[in-house]
Amino acid sequence: MLRPFAFLDTYGRRPPSASERQAAFLHCRHIGRRIGIRDIPGDIAGMEAFAEDYERRYFRRHPANHAVAEQAMSVFYDRLPRPVRPAARRLVISLLDDRARHAPGYDALARSVRRAAHDALLLRRQAQRRLPPRRRSYYDHPPRLHACPGDLHDHVLADFAVPHPTPVPPPMSSMSPSGSPGTGASARSIRISIVPA
């Protein structure tokens, strides 16, 4: 929920209100509790602090991250006409911050490319702000989009998994001077348990 808000703050028609932010946080926290995630922060500030600490400790370049990122982005790319897919890919990568780009192993694009993507989205924002207010909610008649292109049965959960995951080294803060896992600080683990409905 944090990254979408950051995107809307910069490129949205208007920044989300405090009520909208709180509603989104409560919604995400409720989902997290329903699927068994423990120790969820109690407010947005706590969530932001936890995310910052977690990313700083654990975001590392790794082939598994690249495989998952490529599979997830292909869901978006496959919706687009084939000729525009390379440009769309560059656009997405250009909008990633350094941590989010480094972890899946994407190289930084040229400053001119990143600047062009930034300016294009700012131009879109200005155009949206000149439009008259909507007369009815977008969600009254949302477009019918599937989460995945094609038939929903074309994709299974295994499509988004790494076939042979390899262990990720612990963060430097939890390593002893000898290089073995020590008793240093570590981010809270997120435990997920799936319970049949």
Side-chain angles (χ1 to χ4, degrees), residues 136-157:
R136 58 185 180 183
S137 171
Y138 169 87
Y139 294 102
D140 288 344
H141 300 283
R144 299 186 63 182
L145 296 175
H146 292 313
C148 299
D151 189 273
L152 291 178
H153 300 290
D154 290 345
H155 296 267
V156 296
L157 185 60

Side-chain angles (χ1 to χ4, degrees), residues 165-176:
T166 55
V168 177
M172 296 303 295
S173 59
S174 63
M175 299 290 287
S176 68

Side-chain angles (χ1 to χ4, degrees), residues 9-150:
D9 285 338
T10 305
Y11 302 117
R13 181 172 184 170
R14 62 170 179 80
S17 67
S19 296
E20 289 168 332
R21 295 174 191 270
Q22 181 67 8
F25 167 74
L26 294 175
H27 173 74
C28 293
R29 187 179 67 177
H30 177 72
I31 292 175
R33 288 175 173 174
R34 292 292 296 269
I35 64 175
I37 297 179
R38 304 175 182 177
D39 301 326
I40 300 175
D43 53 30
I44 296 176
M47 182 67 77
E48 291 174 340
F50 173 76
E52 170 64 23
D53 179 70
Y54 185 90
E55 291 181 7
R56 179 176 53 82
R57 292 174 182 270
Y58 289 98
F59 272 31
R60 300 289 185 271
R61 180 169 291 200
H62 194 274
N65 298 335
H66 183 79
V68 172
E70 284 293 297
Q71 187 64 49
M73 287 201 293
S74 71
V75 174
F76 167 68
Y77 298 144
D78 288 348
R79 299 178 184 274
L80 303 175
R82 191 175 299 276
V84 304
R85 291 178 187 176
R89 176 187 176 83
R90 291 169 67 86
L91 172 64
V92 171
I93 295 175
S94 70
L95 296 175
L96 298 176
D97 60 36
D98 289 341
R99 286 178 183 167
R101 178 185 51 76
H102 180 77
Y106 295 125
D107 294 328
L109 299 177
R111 183 182 298 272
S112 59
V113 175
R114 288 179 282 141
R115 186 67 193 182
H118 174 74
D119 290 345
L121 288 172
L122 290 180
L123 184 62
R124 173 182 175 271
R125 182 190 68 181
Q126 293 301 322
Q128 286 184 324
R129 289 181 175 181
R130 294 176 182 276
L131 296 175
R134 292 192 179 101
R135 304 179 71 87
R136 58 185 180 183
S137 171
Y138 169 87
Y139 294 102
D140 288 344
H141 300 283
R144 299 186 63 182
L145 296 175
H146 292 313
C148 299

